[in-house]
Coordinates of all heavy atoms in Angstrom, one line a residue:
M1 N -21.0 19.1 -17.6 CA -19.9 18.4 -17.1 C -20.0 18.3 -15.6 O -20.2 19.2 -14.9 CB -18.6 19.2 -17.5 CG -17.3 18.6 -16.9 SD -15.9 19.6 -17.2 CE -15.4 19.0 -18.8
R2 N -19.7 17.1 -15.1 CA -19.8 16.8 -13.7 C -18.3 16.8 -13.1 O -17.5 16.1 -13.6 CB -20.4 15.4 -13.4 CG -20.6 15.2 -12.0 CD -21.4 14.0 -11.8 NE -21.5 13.8 -10.3 CZ -21.6 12.6 -9.7 NH1 -21.7 11.5 -10.5 NH2 -21.7 12.6 -8.4
L3 N -18.1 17.7 -12.1 CA -16.8 17.9 -11.6 C -16.6 17.1 -10.3 O -15.5 17.0 -9.8 CB -16.4 19.3 -11.4 CG -16.5 20.2 -12.7 CD1 -16.2 21.6 -12.4 CD2 -15.4 19.6 -13.7
E4 N -17.7 16.7 -9.7 CA -17.5 16.0 -8.4 C -17.1 14.5 -8.6 O -17.4 13.9 -9.6 CB -18.9 15.9 -7.6 CG -19.4 17.3 -7.3 CD -20.3 17.9 -8.5 OE1 -20.8 17.1 -9.3 OE2 -20.4 19.1 -8.6
L5 N -16.4 14.0 -7.7 CA -16.0 12.6 -7.7 C -17.2 11.7 -7.4 O -18.0 12.1 -6.6 CB -14.9 12.3 -6.7 CG -13.5 13.0 -6.9 CD1 -12.6 12.7 -5.8 CD2 -12.9 12.7 -8.3
T6 N -17.2 10.6 -8.0 CA -18.2 9.6 -7.7 C -17.9 9.0 -6.3 O -16.8 9.1 -5.8 CB -18.3 8.5 -8.7 OG1 -17.1 7.7 -8.7 CG2 -18.5 9.0 -10.2
R7 N -18.9 8.3 -5.7 CA -18.7 7.6 -4.5 C -17.6 6.6 -4.6 O -16.7 6.4 -3.7 CB -20.0 7.0 -4.0 CG -19.9 6.3 -2.6 CD -19.9 7.4 -1.5 NE -18.7 7.2 -0.7 CZ -18.2 8.2 0.0 NH1 -18.7 9.4 0.1 NH2 -17.1 8.0 0.7
D8 N -17.6 5.9 -5.7 CA -16.6 4.9 -6.0 C -15.2 5.5 -6.1 O -14.2 4.9 -5.5 CB -16.9 4.1 -7.3 CG -15.9 3.0 -7.5 OD1 -15.7 2.1 -6.6 OD2 -15.3 3.0 -8.6
Q9 N -15.0 6.6 -6.7 CA -13.7 7.3 -6.8 C -13.2 7.8 -5.5 O -12.1 7.6 -5.2 CB -13.8 8.5 -7.8 CG -14.0 8.1 -9.3 CD -14.4 9.2 -10.1 OE1 -15.0 10.2 -9.7 NE2 -13.9 9.2 -11.4
V10 N -14.1 8.3 -4.7 CA -13.8 8.8 -3.4 C -13.3 7.6 -2.5 O -12.3 7.7 -1.8 CB -14.9 9.5 -2.7 CG1 -14.7 9.8 -1.2 CG2 -15.2 10.8 -3.4
D11 N -14.1 6.5 -2.5 CA -13.7 5.3 -1.7 C -12.4 4.8 -2.2 O -11.5 4.4 -1.3 CB -14.8 4.2 -1.9 CG -16.1 4.6 -1.2 OD1 -16.1 5.6 -0.4 OD2 -17.1 4.0 -1.5
Y12 N -12.1 4.7 -3.5 CA -10.9 4.2 -4.0 C -9.7 5.1 -3.5 O -8.7 4.6 -3.0 CB -10.9 4.1 -5.5 CG -9.7 3.4 -6.1 CD1 -9.4 2.1 -5.9 CD2 -8.7 4.2 -6.7 CE1 -8.3 1.5 -6.4 CE2 -7.6 3.6 -7.3 CZ -7.4 2.3 -7.1 OH -6.2 1.7 -7.6
Q13 N -9.8 6.4 -3.7 CA -8.8 7.3 -3.3 C -8.5 7.2 -1.8 O -7.4 7.2 -1.3 CB -9.1 8.7 -3.7 CG -9.0 9.0 -5.2 CD -9.3 10.4 -5.5 OE1 -9.7 11.2 -4.7 NE2 -9.2 10.7 -6.8
Q14 N -9.6 7.0 -1.0 CA -9.4 6.9 0.5 C -8.6 5.6 0.8 O -7.8 5.6 1.7 CB -10.7 6.9 1.2 CG -11.3 8.3 1.2 CD -12.7 8.4 1.8 OE1 -13.4 7.4 1.9 NE2 -13.1 9.6 2.2
S15 N -9.0 4.5 0.1 CA -8.3 3.2 0.3 C -6.8 3.3 0.0 O -5.9 2.8 0.7 CB -9.0 2.1 -0.4 OG -8.8 2.1 -1.8
V16 N -6.5 4.0 -1.1 CA -5.1 4.2 -1.5 C -4.4 5.0 -0.5 O -3.2 4.7 -0.1 CB -5.0 4.8 -2.9 CG1 -3.6 5.2 -3.3 CG2 -5.6 3.8 -4.0
S17 N -5.0 6.1 -0.1 CA -4.4 6.9 0.9 C -4.1 6.2 2.2 O -3.1 6.3 2.9 CB -5.3 8.2 1.2 OG -4.7 9.0 2.2
Q18 N -5.1 5.4 2.6 CA -4.9 4.6 3.9 C -3.8 3.6 3.7 O -3.0 3.4 4.7 CB -6.2 3.9 4.2 CG -6.3 3.4 5.6 CD -6.4 4.5 6.6 OE1 -7.2 5.4 6.4 NE2 -5.6 4.4 7.6
F19 N -3.7 2.9 2.6 CA -2.6 2.0 2.3 C -1.2 2.7 2.4 O -0.3 2.2 3.0 CB -2.8 1.3 1.0 CG -1.6 0.5 0.5 CD1 -1.4 -0.7 1.1 CD2 -0.8 0.9 -0.5 CE1 -0.3 -1.5 0.7 CE2 0.3 0.1 -0.9 CZ 0.5 -1.1 -0.3
A20 N -1.2 3.9 1.8 CA 0.1 4.6 1.9 C 0.4 5.0 3.3 O 1.6 4.9 3.7 CB -0.1 5.9 1.0
A21 N -0.5 5.5 4.1 CA -0.3 5.9 5.4 C 0.1 4.7 6.4 O 1.0 4.8 7.2 CB -1.5 6.7 6.0
D22 N -0.7 3.6 6.2 CA -0.5 2.5 7.2 C 0.6 1.6 6.8 O 1.2 1.0 7.7 CB -1.8 1.7 7.2 CG -3.0 2.5 7.9 OD1 -2.7 3.5 8.5 OD2 -4.1 2.0 7.7
V23 N 0.8 1.4 5.5 CA 1.8 0.3 5.1 C 3.1 0.9 4.5 O 4.2 0.5 4.8 CB 1.1 -0.6 4.0 CG1 2.0 -1.7 3.5 CG2 -0.2 -1.2 4.6
L24 N 2.9 1.9 3.6 CA 4.1 2.5 3.0 C 4.9 3.4 3.8 O 6.1 3.3 3.9 CB 3.7 3.1 1.6 CG 3.0 2.2 0.6 CD1 2.7 3.1 -0.6 CD2 3.9 1.1 0.3
A25 N 4.2 4.4 4.4 CA 4.9 5.5 5.1 C 5.8 5.0 6.3 O 6.9 5.4 6.4 CB 3.9 6.5 5.7
P26 N 5.4 4.0 7.1 CA 6.3 3.5 8.1 C 7.6 2.9 7.6 O 8.6 2.9 8.4 CB 5.4 2.4 8.8 CG 4.0 2.8 8.5 CD 4.0 3.3 7.1
R27 N 7.6 2.4 6.4 CA 8.8 1.8 5.9 C 9.6 2.7 4.9 O 10.7 2.3 4.4 CB 8.5 0.5 5.2 CG 8.0 -0.5 6.2 CD 7.9 -1.9 5.7 NE 8.9 -2.3 4.8 CZ 8.7 -3.4 3.9 NH1 7.6 -4.0 3.9 NH2 9.7 -3.7 3.1
A28 N 9.0 3.8 4.5 CA 9.6 4.7 3.5 C 11.1 5.1 3.8 O 12.0 4.9 2.9 CB 8.8 5.9 3.3
A29 N 11.3 5.5 5.0 CA 12.7 6.0 5.3 C 13.7 4.8 5.3 O 14.8 5.0 4.7 CB 12.7 6.6 6.7
A30 N 13.3 3.7 5.8 CA 14.2 2.5 5.7 C 14.5 2.1 4.3 O 15.6 1.7 3.9 CB 13.6 1.4 6.5
I31 N 13.5 2.1 3.4 CA 13.6 1.8 2.0 C 14.6 2.7 1.4 O 15.5 2.4 0.6 CB 12.3 1.8 1.3 CG1 11.4 0.6 1.8 CG2 12.5 1.7 -0.2 CD1 10.0 0.7 1.4
D32 N 14.5 4.0 1.7 CA 15.4 5.0 1.1 C 16.8 4.8 1.6 O 17.7 4.9 0.8 CB 14.9 6.4 1.5 CG 13.6 6.9 0.7 OD1 13.3 6.2 -0.3 OD2 13.0 7.9 1.2
E33 N 16.9 4.5 2.9 CA 18.3 4.4 3.4 C 19.0 3.1 2.9 O 20.2 3.2 2.7 CB 18.2 4.3 5.0 CG 17.8 5.6 5.6 CD 17.5 5.5 7.1 OE1 17.7 4.4 7.7 OE2 17.1 6.5 7.7
T34 N 18.3 2.0 2.8 CA 18.9 0.8 2.4 C 19.0 0.6 0.9 O 19.7 -0.2 0.4 CB 18.1 -0.4 3.0 OG1 16.8 -0.5 2.5 CG2 18.1 -0.4 4.5
D35 N 18.2 1.4 0.2 CA 18.1 1.4 -1.3 C 17.7 0.0 -1.8 O 18.2 -0.5 -2.8 CB 19.5 1.8 -1.9 CG 19.3 2.4 -3.3 OD1 18.2 2.9 -3.6 OD2 20.3 2.3 -4.0
Q36 N 16.9 -0.7 -1.0 CA 16.4 -2.0 -1.4 C 15.0 -2.0 -2.0 O 14.2 -1.2 -1.6 CB 16.4 -3.0 -0.2 CG 17.8 -3.4 0.3 CD 17.7 -4.4 1.4 OE1 16.8 -4.4 2.2 NE2 18.8 -5.2 1.5
Y37 N 14.8 -2.8 -3.0 CA 13.5 -2.8 -3.6 C 12.5 -3.6 -2.8 O 12.7 -4.7 -2.4 CB 13.6 -3.5 -5.0 CG 12.3 -3.6 -5.8 CD1 11.9 -2.4 -6.5 CD2 11.6 -4.7 -5.9 CE1 10.8 -2.5 -7.2 CE2 10.4 -4.8 -6.6 CZ 10.0 -3.6 -7.3 OH 8.9 -3.6 -8.0
P38 N 11.4 -2.9 -2.4 CA 10.4 -3.5 -1.5 C 9.4 -4.4 -2.2 O 8.2 -4.1 -2.3 CB 9.7 -2.3 -0.8 CG 9.7 -1.3 -2.0 CD 11.0 -1.5 -2.7
S39 N 9.9 -5.6 -2.6 CA 9.0 -6.5 -3.4 C 7.8 -6.9 -2.7 O 6.7 -7.1 -3.3 CB 9.8 -7.7 -3.9 OG 10.4 -8.4 -2.8
D40 N 7.9 -7.0 -1.4 CA 6.7 -7.4 -0.6 C 5.6 -6.3 -0.6 O 4.4 -6.6 -0.7 CB 7.0 -7.7 0.8 CG 7.6 -6.6 1.6 OD1 8.5 -5.9 1.0 OD2 7.3 -6.4 2.8
L41 N 6.0 -5.1 -0.6 CA 5.1 -4.0 -0.7 C 4.5 -3.9 -2.1 O 3.3 -3.5 -2.3 CB 5.8 -2.6 -0.3 CG 6.2 -2.5 1.1 CD1 6.9 -1.2 1.4 CD2 5.1 -2.8 2.1
V42 N 5.3 -4.1 -3.1 CA 4.8 -4.1 -4.5 C 3.8 -5.2 -4.7 O 2.7 -5.0 -5.2 CB 5.9 -4.2 -5.5 CG1 5.4 -4.3 -6.9 CG2 6.9 -3.0 -5.4
A43 N 4.0 -6.4 -4.1 CA 3.1 -7.5 -4.2 C 1.8 -7.1 -3.5 O 0.7 -7.5 -3.9 CB 3.7 -8.7 -3.6
E44 N 1.9 -6.5 -2.3 CA 0.7 -6.1 -1.6 C -0.1 -5.1 -2.3 O -1.3 -5.1 -2.4 CB 1.1 -5.6 -0.2 CG -0.2 -5.4 0.7 CD 0.1 -5.1 2.1 OE1 1.2 -5.3 2.6 OE2 -0.8 -4.7 2.8
A45 N 0.6 -4.1 -2.9 CA -0.1 -3.1 -3.8 C -0.8 -3.8 -4.9 O -1.9 -3.4 -5.3 CB 0.9 -2.1 -4.2
A46 N -0.1 -4.7 -5.5 CA -0.7 -5.5 -6.7 C -2.0 -6.2 -6.2 O -3.0 -6.2 -6.9 CB 0.3 -6.4 -7.3
A47 N -1.9 -6.8 -5.0 CA -3.0 -7.6 -4.5 C -4.2 -6.7 -4.2 O -5.4 -7.1 -4.3 CB -2.6 -8.4 -3.3
R48 N -4.0 -5.4 -3.9 CA -5.0 -4.5 -3.6 C -5.5 -3.8 -4.9 O -6.3 -2.9 -4.8 CB -4.5 -3.4 -2.6 CG -4.3 -4.0 -1.3 CD -3.7 -2.9 -0.4 NE -3.3 -3.4 0.9 CZ -3.8 -2.9 2.1 NH1 -4.6 -1.9 2.1 NH2 -3.4 -3.4 3.2
G49 N -5.0 -4.2 -6.0 CA -5.4 -3.5 -7.3 C -4.8 -2.2 -7.6 O -5.4 -1.4 -8.3
L50 N -3.7 -1.9 -7.0 CA -3.1 -0.6 -7.1 C -2.0 -0.5 -8.2 O -1.5 0.6 -8.5 CB -2.4 -0.2 -5.8 CG -3.3 -0.2 -4.5 CD1 -2.5 0.3 -3.3 CD2 -4.5 0.7 -4.8
L51 N -1.8 -1.6 -8.9 CA -0.9 -1.5 -10.1 C -1.8 -1.7 -11.3 O -2.8 -2.4 -11.3 CB 0.2 -2.6 -10.0 CG 1.0 -2.6 -8.8 CD1 2.1 -3.7 -8.8 CD2 1.7 -1.3 -8.5
G52 N -1.4 -1.1 -12.4 CA -2.2 -1.2 -13.6 C -3.6 -0.6 -13.4 O -4.6 -1.2 -13.9
V53 N -3.7 0.5 -12.7 CA -5.0 1.1 -12.4 C -5.9 1.3 -13.6 O -7.0 1.0 -13.6 CB -4.8 2.3 -11.5 CG1 -6.1 3.0 -11.2 CG2 -4.1 2.0 -10.2
I54 N -5.3 1.9 -14.6 CA -6.1 2.2 -15.8 C -6.1 1.2 -16.9 O -6.7 1.3 -17.9 CB -5.7 3.6 -16.4 CG1 -4.2 3.6 -16.8 CG2 -5.9 4.7 -15.4 CD1 -3.8 4.7 -17.7
V55 N -5.4 0.1 -16.6 CA -5.3 -1.0 -17.6 C -6.7 -1.8 -17.5 O -7.2 -2.1 -16.4 CB -4.2 -2.0 -17.3 CG1 -4.2 -3.2 -18.2 CG2 -2.8 -1.2 -17.4
P56 N -7.3 -2.1 -18.6 CA -8.6 -2.8 -18.6 C -8.5 -4.2 -17.8 O -7.4 -4.8 -17.8 CB -8.8 -3.1 -20.1 CG -8.0 -2.1 -20.8 CD -6.8 -1.8 -20.0
T57 N -9.5 -4.5 -17.2 CA -9.6 -5.8 -16.5 C -9.3 -7.0 -17.4 O -8.7 -8.0 -16.9 CB -10.9 -6.0 -15.7 OG1 -12.0 -5.9 -16.7 CG2 -11.1 -4.9 -14.6
S58 N -9.7 -6.9 -18.6 CA -9.5 -8.0 -19.6 C -8.0 -8.2 -19.8 O -7.6 -9.3 -20.3 CB -10.2 -7.7 -20.9 OG -9.7 -6.5 -21.5
W59 N -7.2 -7.2 -19.5 CA -5.7 -7.3 -19.7 C -5.0 -7.5 -18.3 O -3.8 -7.4 -18.2 CB -5.2 -6.1 -20.4 CG -5.6 -6.0 -21.8 CD1 -6.3 -6.8 -22.5 CD2 -5.2 -4.9 -22.6 NE1 -6.5 -6.3 -23.8 CE2 -5.8 -5.1 -23.9 CE3 -4.4 -3.7 -22.5 CZ2 -5.7 -4.3 -25.0 CZ3 -4.3 -2.9 -23.5 CH2 -4.9 -3.1 -24.8
G60 N -5.8 -7.7 -17.3 CA -5.2 -7.9 -15.9 C -5.1 -6.7 -15.1 O -4.5 -6.8 -14.0
G61 N -5.6 -5.6 -15.5 CA -5.5 -4.4 -14.7 C -6.8 -4.2 -13.8 O -7.6 -5.0 -13.7
S62 N -6.8 -3.0 -13.2 CA -7.9 -2.7 -12.4 C -9.1 -2.1 -13.1 O -10.2 -2.0 -12.6 CB -7.5 -1.7 -11.3 OG -6.5 -2.2 -10.5
G63 N -8.9 -1.6 -14.3 CA -10.0 -1.1 -15.1 C -10.6 0.2 -14.6 O -11.7 0.5 -14.9
R64 N -9.8 1.0 -13.9 CA -10.3 2.3 -13.3 C -10.1 3.4 -14.3 O -9.3 3.3 -15.2 CB -9.7 2.6 -12.0 CG -10.1 1.5 -11.0 CD -9.8 2.1 -9.6 NE -10.5 1.3 -8.6 CZ -11.8 1.5 -8.2 NH1 -12.4 2.6 -8.7 NH2 -12.4 0.8 -7.3
D65 N -10.8 4.5 -14.0 CA -10.6 5.7 -14.9 C -9.4 6.5 -14.4 O -8.8 6.2 -13.4 CB -11.9 6.6 -14.8 CG -12.2 7.0 -13.4 OD1 -11.5 7.9 -12.9 OD2 -13.1 6.3 -12.7
Y66 N -9.0 7.5 -15.2 CA -7.8 8.3 -14.9 C -8.0 9.1 -13.6 O -7.0 9.4 -12.9 CB -7.5 9.2 -16.1 CG -6.9 8.5 -17.2 CD1 -7.6 8.0 -18.3 CD2 -5.5 8.3 -17.2 CE1 -7.0 7.4 -19.4 CE2 -4.9 7.6 -18.3 CZ -5.7 7.2 -19.3 OH -5.1 6.5 -20.4
V67 N -9.2 9.5 -13.3 CA -9.4 10.3 -12.1 C -9.2 9.5 -10.8 O -8.6 10.0 -9.9 CB -10.8 11.0 -12.1 CG1 -11.1 11.7 -10.8 CG2 -11.0 11.9 -13.3
S68 N -9.6 8.3 -10.9 CA -9.4 7.4 -9.7 C -8.0 7.3 -9.4 O -7.6 7.2 -8.2 CB -10.0 6.0 -10.0 OG -11.4 6.1 -10.1

């Protein structure tokens, strides 16, 4: 059994973390305060392949594994 992440998994996790830090975190407090749905952020997350992560690509998802 291999317990280390693959290079692809590490890269994906880093890109998600960077998106969260650069795009989501600066707006998180305002979103909480206004209680408004951030449709622009959801659209950006979708464009980056962050929605439907484990859904097969044939169904419109990212086709990634559970660890990613």
Side-chain angles (χ1 to χ4, degrees):
M1 176 188 271
R2 185 169 180 213
L3 299 178
E4 300 86 25
L5 297 176
T6 66
R7 183 78 237 158
D8 182 58
Q9 289 169 327
V10 170
D11 290 345
Y12 185 72
Q13 288 182 355
Q14 287 175 344
S15 71
V16 172
S17 179
Q18 197 68 47
F19 174 71
D22 294 345
V23 179
L24 301 179
R27 292 191 40 201
I31 291 167
D32 288 345
E33 289 171 8
T34 62
D35 207 24
Q36 291 184 332
Y37 183 77
S39 57
D40 62 318
L41 295 180
V42 175
E44 187 169 348
R48 293 176 183 236
L50 303 181
L51 303 182
V53 174
I54 60 167
V55 175
T57 55
S58 60
W59 293 358
S62 297
R64 294 199 163 270
D65 57 79
Y66 284 94
V67 175
S68 292

